[in-house]
Amino acid sequence: MKTRIGIDSLAVAVPRRYLDITDLARARGVDPAKYTQGLGAREMAVADPGEDTVSLAATAARRAIDAAGLDKSELGLIVVGTETGVDHSKPVASFVHGLLDLPRAMRVYDTQHACYGGTAGLMTAVEWIASGAADGRSALVICSDIARYGIDTAGEPTQGAGAIAMIVAQNPALLELDIGISGTSSTHVHDFWRPLGHREAQVDGHYSVQCYLDAVADAYAGWKTAATERDVSAALARICYHVPFCKMAKKAHLHLGFDEASFETQVAPTLGLCARIGNVYTGSLYLGLAGLLDAQATDLARRRIGLFSYGSGCTSEFFSGTVANAAAERIAAARIADVLADRERIGVEEYERIMAMTAPADEPPQPGRFRFTGVEAHRRQYLRA
Ligand code: HMG
């Protein structure tokens, strides 16, 4: 019998503060319609230094484990996809492993290729289970990042922060992946990168959009060929794209030859959460998936959806999976609406003050969250609430 493998549980963690994108536009002397209609943004998550990549990752991971009701001893692998790690050597996954008191007998590491890092982790986890090496155990795959371009740059309204944690397992309750059916496209380009020692990314914005479009056309064609060869239907009920800003998903969809009506049905339902959080780099594709399942899992049960992951630099992959019957119930356990509702709107002055901070303020973690509290003897310290 065919082994079913995929995403069993998914949870989200976001910073406690956000900026309304129209407030940012007005402060920069820009017509708000450029950000809301031109980029498709509504709100932008603002992380303070206490909400670093580790604390967001650990918070999301604890929620994903709880949502699945998983016994930690069933985990054999943690992979964190990130491009905003906290140390040149010690991975974010190692901090998460310690903060969550996970078993010793595990593989624990990070993967990096810009926004593709989380997908690299997901594919590794799926193939680890499919190979039989997992021996019945599950994997924890986390995407965690803080997207920063800097004050008053063209990229500023496309910032964001957050983590998405996924339990990858056999007989998944959310999404069964089509193993081996994917299209990939990679080229060596300088569209977006972050030199060592820089807090903000360097980006050739319009070129990066073109690199993404070239990649999605190639990867989608590769996926279609693979699907046809395996007799898998290429009809997709929805497509989740990597979402650096919401308009990018629309550009990608039209570039693949679909029309506006198809965008409204197949893609618009994937953008709700992305518009309210901004770019979360590795997690952006999975934020789209989380929002889609939270809104439409019942209607999508047993239907195939497409997913496109893009990491600048660049590498990309188009893949697919079928929504599980239990998806609506499982995604409800992640309480995504509560996670969003539990945020505070701040003004531009407060956002700029937070952006200038280099160390965490002395405040306790909120219930259920982890928080970075500072460095002692070169060791990063965290508190859990
Ligand atoms: P920009 O150059 O300031 O904006 O920044 P623009 O002039 O291109 O305008 C943006 C859109 O707003 C345009 O729509 C305008 O027409 C429209 P389009 O023609 O593209 O459809 N517009 C208006 N609409 C309504 N009312 C108005 C108005 N004015 C203009 N008054 C840019 C845009 C994307 C370049 C910038 O935000 C940026 O550099 N962002 C960061 C880079 C990025 O997100 N790239 C995406 C592809 S690369 C990627 O996805 C990887 C990434 O996630 C990183 C990783 O892999 O790690 C970034």
Side-chain angles (χ1 to χ4, degrees):
M1 206 177 83
K2 190 183 149 219
T3 316
R4 298 171 57 242
I5 302 170
I7 304 171
D8 186 54
S9 163
L10 184 158
V12 173
V14 292
R16 56 182 289 214
R17 300 178 184 89
Y18 73 91
L19 188 61
D20 190 288
I21 211 73
T22 56
D23 291 346
L24 181 63
R26 288 197 187 95
R28 298 293 174 255
V30 169
D31 178 355
K34 176 175 177 184
Y35 292 174
T36 55
Q37 291 164 31
L39 297 175
R42 275 180 64 192
E43 295 164 0
M44 188 177 97
V46 178
D48 77 73
E51 299 169 304
D52 69 352
T53 303
V54 168
S55 56
L56 290 168
T59 301
R62 187 151 78 178
R63 289 175 181 164
I65 291 171
D66 289 350
L70 187 82
D71 185 327
K72 291 175 193 172
S73 65
E74 292 171 47
L75 287 171
L77 171 70
I78 310 181
V79 190
V80 177
T82 184
E83 54 179 299
T84 51
V86 297
D87 190 277
H88 285 306
S89 178
K90 187 173 169 67
V92 172
S94 172
F95 286 95
V96 173
H97 180 252
L99 288 170
L100 267 60
D101 294 323
L102 296 178
R104 286 178 79 107
M106 295 186 78
R107 288 185 180 152
V108 177
Y109 56 88
D110 288 359
T111 46
Q112 184 190 330
H113 189 144
C115 296
Y116 178 81
T119 303
L122 175 63
M123 294 303 165
T124 301
V126 168
E127 288 160 13
W128 173 67
I129 294 170
S131 74
D135 197 19
R137 291 172 298 167
S138 302
L140 172 61
V141 176
I142 310 169
C143 308
S144 186
D145 273 306
I146 297 174
R148 290 177 72 108
Y149 294 97
I151 303 285
D152 216 0
T153 61
E156 185 180 29
T158 67
Q159 297 176 125
I164 287 79
M166 298 176 269
I167 304 295
V168 181
Q170 284 192 32
N171 301 319
L174 283 179
L175 185 72
E176 178 188 348
L177 292 179
D178 296 322
I179 300 171
I181 302 180
S182 85
T184 48
S185 175
S186 306
T187 43
H188 171 44
V189 287
H190 275 92
D191 60 334
F192 164 105
W193 67 104
R194 190 165 63 89
L196 292 175
H198 288 234
R199 269 181 110 189
E200 278 90 22
Q202 305 288 312
V203 62
D204 189 342
H206 292 280
Y207 178 55
S208 74
V209 170
Q210 192 52 51
C211 291
Y212 180 125
L213 293 177
D214 291 346
V216 74
D218 241 18
Y220 178 64
W223 172 81
K224 258 176 117 173
T225 303
T228 309
E229 281 171 4
R230 304 259 194 119
D231 262 348
V232 162
S233 165
L236 298 170
R238 303 286 181 271
I239 303 180
C240 299
Y241 293 92
H242 166 58
V243 184
F245 53 92
C246 290
K247 182 77 159 291
M248 187 71 234
K250 186 175 196 171
K251 286 179 188 284
H253 198 63
L254 300 184
H255 189 68
L256 294 185
F258 296 102
D259 60 19
E260 289 272 347
S262 149
F263 168 78
E264 290 302 330
T265 315
Q266 282 183 284
V267 185
T270 71
L271 300 176
L273 275 186
C274 302
R276 298 194 56 194
I277 294 168
N279 194 355
V280 296
Y281 290 161
T282 48
S284 291
L285 166 62
Y286 303 99
L287 197 57
L289 176 64
L292 173 67
L293 293 179
D294 205 35
Q296 299 191 334
T298 305
D299 296 345
L300 291 174
R302 294 180 302 285
R303 298 182 75 188
R304 175 164 284 110
I305 64 171
L307 299 103
F308 175 66
S309 181
Y310 177 81
S312 280
C314 70
T315 194
S316 67
E317 184 157 357
F318 197 103
F319 57 107
S320 55
T322 303
V323 176
N325 286 326
E329 198 182 324
R330 180 53 59 87
I331 199 73
R335 306 172 67 94
I336 290 171
D338 292 348
V339 170
L340 272 273
D342 194 19
R343 302 186 307 165
E344 177 194 335
R345 177 174 170 177
I346 57 168
V348 174
E349 227 174 80
E350 175 67 352
Y351 149 73
E352 289 180 357
R353 190 187 69 77
I354 291 171
M355 287 287 279
M357 287 169 72
T358 50
D362 186 15
E363 54 181 90
Q366 291 179 300
R369 300 188 191 205
F370 292 85
R371 188 169 170 81
F372 169 56
T373 56
V375 177
E376 285 171 23
H378 301 288
R379 290 160 176 79
R380 296 177 77 84
Q381 306 296 315
Y382 291 86
L383 266 183
R384 64 183 106 184

mmCIF file with all atom_site columns, all heavy atoms in Angstrom, residues 119-141:
data_model
loop_
_atom_site.group_PDB
_atom_site.id
_atom_site.type_symbol
_atom_site.label_atom_id
_atom_site.label_alt_id
_atom_site.label_comp_id
_atom_site.label_asym_id
_atom_site.label_entity_id
_atom_site.label_seq_id
_atom_site.pdbx_PDB_ins_code
_atom_site.Cartn_x
_atom_site.Cartn_y
_atom_site.Cartn_z
_atom_site.occupancy
_atom_site.B_iso_or_equiv
_atom_site.pdbx_formal_charge
_atom_site.auth_seq_id
_atom_site.auth_comp_id
_atom_site.auth_asym_id
_atom_site.auth_atom_id
_atom_site.pdbx_PDB_model_num
ATOM 1   N N   . THR A 1 119 ? 11.483 25.011 2.695  1.00 0.00 ? 119 THR A N   1
ATOM 2   C CA  . THR A 1 119 ? 11.082 23.955 1.760  1.00 0.00 ? 119 THR A CA  1
ATOM 3   C C   . THR A 1 119 ? 12.168 22.886 1.679  1.00 0.00 ? 119 THR A C   1
ATOM 4   O O   . THR A 1 119 ? 11.862 21.689 1.584  1.00 0.00 ? 119 THR A O   1
ATOM 5   C CB  . THR A 1 119 ? 10.789 24.567 0.372  1.00 0.00 ? 119 THR A CB  1
ATOM 6   O OG1 . THR A 1 119 ? 9.778  25.558 0.545  1.00 0.00 ? 119 THR A OG1 1
ATOM 7   C CG2 . THR A 1 119 ? 10.338 23.523 -0.624 1.00 0.00 ? 119 THR A CG2 1
ATOM 8   N N   . ALA A 1 120 ? 13.424 23.303 1.754  1.00 0.00 ? 120 ALA A N   1
ATOM 9   C CA  . ALA A 1 120 ? 14.519 22.321 1.792  1.00 0.00 ? 120 ALA A CA  1
ATOM 10  C C   . ALA A 1 120 ? 14.312 21.394 2.991  1.00 0.00 ? 120 ALA A C   1
ATOM 11  O O   . ALA A 1 120 ? 14.477 20.165 2.890  1.00 0.00 ? 120 ALA A O   1
ATOM 12  C CB  . ALA A 1 120 ? 15.864 23.040 1.892  1.00 0.00 ? 120 ALA A CB  1
ATOM 13  N N   . GLY A 1 121 ? 13.931 21.978 4.132  1.00 0.00 ? 121 GLY A N   1
ATOM 14  C CA  . GLY A 1 121 ? 13.678 21.173 5.338  1.00 0.00 ? 121 GLY A CA  1
ATOM 15  C C   . GLY A 1 121 ? 12.490 20.251 5.159  1.00 0.00 ? 121 GLY A C   1
ATOM 16  O O   . GLY A 1 121 ? 12.529 19.077 5.542  1.00 0.00 ? 121 GLY A O   1
ATOM 17  N N   . LEU A 1 122 ? 11.430 20.780 4.556  1.00 0.00 ? 122 LEU A N   1
ATOM 18  C CA  . LEU A 1 122 ? 10.228 19.966 4.354  1.00 0.00 ? 122 LEU A CA  1
ATOM 19  C C   . LEU A 1 122 ? 10.528 18.777 3.443  1.00 0.00 ? 122 LEU A C   1
ATOM 20  O O   . LEU A 1 122 ? 10.141 17.638 3.738  1.00 0.00 ? 122 LEU A O   1
ATOM 21  C CB  . LEU A 1 122 ? 9.118  20.843 3.740  1.00 0.00 ? 122 LEU A CB  1
ATOM 22  C CG  . LEU A 1 122 ? 7.823  20.134 3.362  1.00 0.00 ? 122 LEU A CG  1
ATOM 23  C CD1 . LEU A 1 122 ? 7.136  19.543 4.595  1.00 0.00 ? 122 LEU A CD1 1
ATOM 24  C CD2 . LEU A 1 122 ? 6.867  21.093 2.638  1.00 0.00 ? 122 LEU A CD2 1
ATOM 25  N N   . MET A 1 123 ? 11.249 19.028 2.350  1.00 0.00 ? 123 MET A N   1
ATOM 26  C CA  . MET A 1 123 ? 11.559 17.942 1.407  1.00 0.00 ? 123 MET A CA  1
ATOM 27  C C   . MET A 1 123 ? 12.459 16.894 2.073  1.00 0.00 ? 123 MET A C   1
ATOM 28  O O   . MET A 1 123 ? 12.274 15.690 1.886  1.00 0.00 ? 123 MET A O   1
ATOM 29  C CB  . MET A 1 123 ? 12.247 18.498 0.149  1.00 0.00 ? 123 MET A CB  1
ATOM 30  C CG  . MET A 1 123 ? 11.355 19.388 -0.673 1.00 0.00 ? 123 MET A CG  1
ATOM 31  S SD  . MET A 1 123 ? 9.834  18.519 -1.160 1.00 0.00 ? 123 MET A SD  1
ATOM 32  C CE  . MET A 1 123 ? 8.806  19.881 -1.685 1.00 0.00 ? 123 MET A CE  1
ATOM 33  N N   . THR A 1 124 ? 13.424 17.372 2.856  1.00 0.00 ? 124 THR A N   1
ATOM 34  C CA  . THR A 1 124 ? 14.309 16.437 3.571  1.00 0.00 ? 124 THR A CA  1
ATOM 35  C C   . THR A 1 124 ? 13.501 15.547 4.515  1.00 0.00 ? 124 THR A C   1
ATOM 36  O O   . THR A 1 124 ? 13.716 14.335 4.584  1.00 0.00 ? 124 THR A O   1
ATOM 37  C CB  . THR A 1 124 ? 15.352 17.231 4.386  1.00 0.00 ? 124 THR A CB  1
ATOM 38  O OG1 . THR A 1 124 ? 16.085 18.048 3.490  1.00 0.00 ? 124 THR A OG1 1
ATOM 39  C CG2 . THR A 1 124 ? 16.294 16.316 5.147  1.00 0.00 ? 124 THR A CG2 1
ATOM 40  N N   . ALA A 1 125 ? 12.562 16.183 5.225  1.00 0.00 ? 125 ALA A N   1
ATOM 41  C CA  . ALA A 1 125 ? 11.762 15.427 6.202  1.00 0.00 ? 125 ALA A CA  1
ATOM 42  C C   . ALA A 1 125 ? 10.892 14.383 5.499  1.00 0.00 ? 125 ALA A C   1
ATOM 43  O O   . ALA A 1 125 ? 10.816 13.221 5.927  1.00 0.00 ? 125 ALA A O   1
ATOM 44  C CB  . ALA A 1 125 ? 10.888 16.398 6.995  1.00 0.00 ? 125 ALA A CB  1
ATOM 45  N N   . VAL A 1 126 ? 10.260 14.791 4.401  1.00 0.00 ? 126 VAL A N   1
ATOM 46  C CA  . VAL A 1 126 ? 9.371  13.876 3.670  1.00 0.00 ? 126 VAL A CA  1
ATOM 47  C C   . VAL A 1 126 ? 10.181 12.694 3.132  1.00 0.00 ? 126 VAL A C   1
ATOM 48  O O   . VAL A 1 126 ? 9.782  11.524 3.265  1.00 0.00 ? 126 VAL A O   1
ATOM 49  C CB  . VAL A 1 126 ? 8.657  14.641 2.523  1.00 0.00 ? 126 VAL A CB  1
ATOM 50  C CG1 . VAL A 1 126 ? 7.974  13.677 1.570  1.00 0.00 ? 126 VAL A CG1 1
ATOM 51  C CG2 . VAL A 1 126 ? 7.652  15.632 3.096  1.00 0.00 ? 126 VAL A CG2 1
ATOM 52  N N   . GLU A 1 127 ? 11.345 13.014 2.557  1.00 0.00 ? 127 GLU A N   1
ATOM 53  C CA  . GLU A 1 127 ? 12.149 11.939 1.942  1.00 0.00 ? 127 GLU A CA  1
ATOM 54  C C   . GLU A 1 127 ? 12.785 11.046 3.022  1.00 0.00 ? 127 GLU A C   1
ATOM 55  O O   . GLU A 1 127 ? 12.961 9.840  2.818  1.00 0.00 ? 127 GLU A O   1
ATOM 56  C CB  . GLU A 1 127 ? 13.174 12.561 0.992  1.00 0.00 ? 127 GLU A CB  1
ATOM 57  C CG  . GLU A 1 127 ? 12.448 13.102 -0.262 1.00 0.00 ? 127 GLU A CG  1
ATOM 58  C CD  . GLU A 1 127 ? 13.216 14.149 -1.067 1.00 0.00 ? 127 GLU A CD  1
ATOM 59  O OE1 . GLU A 1 127 ? 14.428 14.304 -0.827 1.00 0.00 ? 127 GLU A OE1 1
ATOM 60  O OE2 . GLU A 1 127 ? 12.597 14.804 -1.923 1.00 0.00 ? 127 GLU A OE2 1
ATOM 61  N N   . TRP A 1 128 ? 13.097 11.614 4.193  1.00 0.00 ? 128 TRP A N   1
ATOM 62  C CA  . TRP A 1 128 ? 13.622 10.841 5.335  1.00 0.00 ? 128 TRP A CA  1
ATOM 63  C C   . TRP A 1 128 ? 12.571 9.816  5.789  1.00 0.00 ? 128 TRP A C   1
ATOM 64  O O   . TRP A 1 128 ? 12.886 8.652  6.026  1.00 0.00 ? 128 TRP A O   1
ATOM 65  C CB  . TRP A 1 128 ? 13.958 11.828 6.463  1.00 0.00 ? 128 TRP A CB  1
ATOM 66  C CG  . TRP A 1 128 ? 14.354 11.256 7.779  1.00 0.00 ? 128 TRP A CG  1
ATOM 67  C CD1 . TRP A 1 128 ? 15.481 10.555 8.080  1.00 0.00 ? 128 TRP A CD1 1
ATOM 68  C CD2 . TRP A 1 128 ? 13.617 11.390 9.020  1.00 0.00 ? 128 TRP A CD2 1
ATOM 69  N NE1 . TRP A 1 128 ? 15.500 10.251 9.427  1.00 0.00 ? 128 TRP A NE1 1
ATOM 70  C CE2 . TRP A 1 128 ? 14.371 10.746 10.026 1.00 0.00 ? 128 TRP A CE2 1
ATOM 71  C CE3 . TRP A 1 128 ? 12.414 11.996 9.372  1.00 0.00 ? 128 TRP A CE3 1
ATOM 72  C CZ2 . TRP A 1 128 ? 13.963 10.683 11.354 1.00 0.00 ? 128 TRP A CZ2 1
ATOM 73  C CZ3 . TRP A 1 128 ? 12.005 11.946 10.695 1.00 0.00 ? 128 TRP A CZ3 1
ATOM 74  C CH2 . TRP A 1 128 ? 12.769 11.284 11.658 1.00 0.00 ? 128 TRP A CH2 1
ATOM 75  N N   . ILE A 1 129 ? 11.320 10.269 5.835  1.00 0.00 ? 129 ILE A N   1
ATOM 76  C CA  . ILE A 1 129 ? 10.249 9.343  6.245  1.00 0.00 ? 129 ILE A CA  1
ATOM 77  C C   . ILE A 1 129 ? 10.002 8.309  5.140  1.00 0.00 ? 129 ILE A C   1
ATOM 78  O O   . ILE A 1 129 ? 9.917  7.106  5.402  1.00 0.00 ? 129 ILE A O   1
ATOM 79  C CB  . ILE A 1 129 ? 8.960  10.132 6.587  1.00 0.00 ? 129 ILE A CB  1
ATOM 80  C CG1 . ILE A 1 129 ? 9.197  11.007 7.828  1.00 0.00 ? 129 ILE A CG1 1
ATOM 81  C CG2 . ILE A 1 129 ? 7.791  9.179  6.825  1.00 0.00 ? 129 ILE A CG2 1
ATOM 82  C CD1 . ILE A 1 129 ? 8.098  12.015 8.122  1.00 0.00 ? 129 ILE A CD1 1
ATOM 83  N N   . ALA A 1 130 ? 9.949  8.773  3.889  1.00 0.00 ? 130 ALA A N   1
ATOM 84  C CA  . ALA A 1 130 ? 9.671  7.857  2.767  1.00 0.00 ? 130 ALA A CA  1
ATOM 85  C C   . ALA A 1 130 ? 10.755 6.800  2.616  1.00 0.00 ? 130 ALA A C   1
ATOM 86  O O   . ALA A 1 130 ? 10.485 5.666  2.204  1.00 0.00 ? 130 ALA A O   1
ATOM 87  C CB  . ALA A 1 130 ? 9.536  8.658  1.471  1.00 0.00 ? 130 ALA A CB  1
ATOM 88  N N   . SER A 1 131 ? 11.993 7.154  2.963  1.00 0.00 ? 131 SER A N   1
ATOM 89  C CA  . SER A 1 131 ? 13.111 6.201  2.797  1.00 0.00 ? 131 SER A CA  1
ATOM 90  C C   . SER A 1 131 ? 13.041 5.046  3.800  1.00 0.00 ? 131 SER A C   1
ATOM 91  O O   . SER A 1 131 ? 13.723 4.044  3.636  1.00 0.00 ? 131 SER A O   1
ATOM 92  C CB  . SER A 1 131 ? 14.445 6.933  2.991  1.00 0.00 ? 131 SER A CB  1
ATOM 93  O OG  . SER A 1 131 ? 14.635 7.212  4.375  1.00 0.00 ? 131 SER A OG  1
ATOM 94  N N   . GLY A 1 132 ? 12.277 5.247  4.871  1.00 0.00 ? 132 GLY A N   1
ATOM 95  C CA  . GLY A 1 132 ? 12.226 4.228  5.933  1.00 0.00 ? 132 GLY A CA  1
ATOM 96  C C   . GLY A 1 132 ? 13.198 4.528  7.052  1.00 0.00 ? 132 GLY A C   1
ATOM 97  O O   . GLY A 1 132 ? 13.115 3.935  8.145  1.00 0.00 ? 132 GLY A O   1
ATOM 98  N N   . ALA A 1 133 ? 14.131 5.484  6.841  1.00 0.00 ? 133 ALA A N   1
ATOM 99  C CA  . ALA A 1 133 ? 15.129 5.799  7.876  1.00 0.00 ? 133 ALA A CA  1
ATOM 100 C C   . ALA A 1 133 ? 14.494 6.362  9.145  1.00 0.00 ? 133 ALA A C   1
ATOM 101 O O   . ALA A 1 133 ? 15.057 6.254  10.236 1.00 0.00 ? 133 ALA A O   1
ATOM 102 C CB  . ALA A 1 133 ? 16.157 6.790  7.321  1.00 0.00 ? 133 ALA A CB  1
ATOM 103 N N   . ALA A 1 134 ? 13.328 6.987  9.006  1.00 0.00 ? 134 ALA A N   1
ATOM 104 C CA  . ALA A 1 134 ? 12.670 7.581  10.181 1.00 0.00 ? 134 ALA A CA  1
ATOM 105 C C   . ALA A 1 134 ? 12.156 6.517  11.142 1.00 0.00 ? 134 ALA A C   1
ATOM 106 O O   . ALA A 1 134 ? 11.937 6.796  12.326 1.00 0.00 ? 134 ALA A O   1
ATOM 107 C CB  . ALA A 1 134 ? 11.506 8.452  9.727  1.00 0.00 ? 134 ALA A CB  1
ATOM 108 N N   . ASP A 1 135 ? 11.941 5.318  10.624 1.00 0.00 ? 135 ASP A N   1
ATOM 109 C CA  . ASP A 1 135 ? 11.501 4.204  11.454 1.00 0.00 ? 135 ASP A CA  1
ATOM 110 C C   . ASP A 1 135 ? 10.259 4.568  12.287 1.00 0.00 ? 135 ASP A C   1
ATOM 111 O O   . ASP A 1 135 ? 10.227 4.350  13.503 1.00 0.00 ? 135 ASP A O   1
ATOM 112 C CB  . ASP A 1 135 ? 12.673 3.789  12.377 1.00 0.00 ? 135 ASP A CB  1
ATOM 113 C CG  . ASP A 1 135 ? 12.450 2.397  12.958 1.00 0.00 ? 135 ASP A CG  1
ATOM 114 O OD1 . ASP A 1 135 ? 11.629 1.651  12.382 1.00 0.00 ? 135 ASP A OD1 1
ATOM 115 O OD2 . ASP A 1 135 ? 13.061 2.078  13.998 1.00 0.00 ? 135 ASP A OD2 1
ATOM 116 N N   . GLY A 1 136 ? 9.285  5.180  11.634 1.00 0.00 ? 136 GLY A N   1
ATOM 117 C CA  . GLY A 1 136 ? 8.021  5.494  12.314 1.00 0.00 ? 136 GLY A CA  1
ATOM 118 C C   . GLY A 1 136 ? 8.006  6.841  13.027 1.00 0.00 ? 136 GLY A C   1
ATOM 119 O O   . GLY A 1 136 ? 6.961  7.263  13.526 1.00 0.00 ? 136 GLY A O   1
ATOM 120 N N   . ARG A 1 137 ? 9.169  7.517  13.090 1.00 0.00 ? 137 ARG A N   1
ATOM 121 C CA  . ARG A 1 137 ? 9.184  8.797  13.794 1.00 0.00 ? 137 ARG A CA  1
ATOM 122 C C   . ARG A 1 137 ? 8.756  9.944  12.866 1.00 0.00 ? 137 ARG A C   1
ATOM 123 O O   . ARG A 1 137 ? 8.725  9.804  11.651 1.00 0.00 ? 137 ARG A O   1
ATOM 124 C CB  . ARG A 1 137 ? 10.584 9.081  14.357 1.00 0.00 ? 137 ARG A CB  1
ATOM 125 C CG  . ARG A 1 137 ? 10.970 8.139  15.496 1.00 0.00 ? 137 ARG A CG  1
ATOM 126 C CD  . ARG A 1 137 ? 12.412 8.304  15.893 1.00 0.00 ? 137 ARG A CD  1
ATOM 127 N NE  . ARG A 1 137 ? 13.302 7.976  14.786 1.00 0.00 ? 137 ARG A NE  1
ATOM 128 C CZ  . ARG A 1 137 ? 14.599 8.258  14.769 1.00 0.00 ? 137 ARG A CZ  1
ATOM 129 N NH1 . ARG A 1 137 ? 15.161 8.881  15.792 1.00 0.00 ? 137 ARG A NH1 1
ATOM 130 N NH2 . ARG A 1 137 ? 15.337 7.920  13.735 1.00 0.00 ? 137 ARG A NH2 1
ATOM 131 N N   . SER A 1 138 ? 8.464  11.091 13.467 1.00 0.00 ? 138 SER A N   1
ATOM 132 C CA  . SER A 1 138 ? 8.024  12.267 12.713 1.00 0.00 ? 138 SER A CA  1
ATOM 133 C C   . SER A 1 138 ? 9.103  13.337 12.760 1.00 0.00 ? 138 SER A C   1
ATOM 134 O O   . SER A 1 138 ? 10.068 13.242 13.530 1.00 0.00 ? 138 SER A O   1
ATOM 135 C CB  . SER A 1 138 ? 6.735  12.824 13.328 1.00 0.00 ? 138 SER A CB  1
ATOM 136 O OG  . SER A 1 138 ? 5.744  11.832 13.332 1.00 0.00 ? 138 SER A OG  1
ATOM 137 N N   . ALA A 1 139 ? 8.926  14.386 11.951 1.00 0.00 ? 139 ALA A N   1
ATOM 138 C CA  . ALA A 1 139 ? 9.897  15.490 11.907 1.00 0.00 ? 139 ALA A CA  1
ATOM 139 C C   . ALA A 1 139 ? 9.205  16.804 12.252 1.00 0.00 ? 139 ALA A C   1
ATOM 140 O O   . ALA A 1 139 ? 8.016  16.980 12.015 1.00 0.00 ? 139 ALA A O   1
ATOM 141 C CB  . ALA A 1 139 ? 10.498 15.583 10.506 1.00 0.00 ? 139 ALA A CB  1
ATOM 142 N N   . LEU A 1 140 ? 10.003 17.700 12.833 1.00 0.00 ? 140 LEU A N   1
ATOM 143 C CA  . LEU A 1 140 ? 9.538  19.060 13.108 1.00 0.00 ? 140 LEU A CA  1
ATOM 144 C C   . LEU A 1 140 ? 10.282 19.983 12.150 1.00 0.00 ? 140 LEU A C   1
ATOM 145 O O   . LEU A 1 140 ? 11.514 20.058 12.204 1.00 0.00 ? 140 LEU A O   1
ATOM 146 C CB  . LEU A 1 140 ? 9.867  19.407 14.573 1.00 0.00 ? 140 LEU A CB  1
ATOM 147 C CG  . LEU A 1 140 ? 9.646  20.834 15.046 1.00 0.00 ? 140 LEU A CG  1
ATOM 148 C CD1 . LEU A 1 140 ? 8.178  21.241 14.908 1.00 0.00 ? 140 LEU A CD1 1
ATOM 149 C CD2 . LEU A 1 140 ? 10.079 20.980 16.515 1.00 0.00 ? 140 LEU A CD2 1
ATOM 150 N N   . VAL A 1 141 ? 9.556  20.618 11.265 1.00 0.00 ? 141 VAL A N   1
ATOM 151 C CA  . VAL A 1 141 ? 10.172 21.549 10.297 1.00 0.00 ? 141 VAL A CA  1
ATOM 152 C C   . VAL A 1 141 ? 9.665  22.945 10.622 1.00 0.00 ? 141 VAL A C   1
ATOM 153 O O   . VAL A 1 141 ? 8.456  23.160 10.715 1.00 0.00 ? 141 VAL A O   1
ATOM 154 C CB  . VAL A 1 141 ? 9.793  21.176 8.848  1.00 0.00 ? 141 VAL A CB  1
ATOM 155 C CG1 . VAL A 1 141 ? 10.347 22.206 7.865  1.00 0.00 ? 141 VAL A CG1 1
ATOM 156 C CG2 . VAL A 1 141 ? 10.310 19.783 8.510  1.00 0.00 ? 141 VAL A CG2 1
#
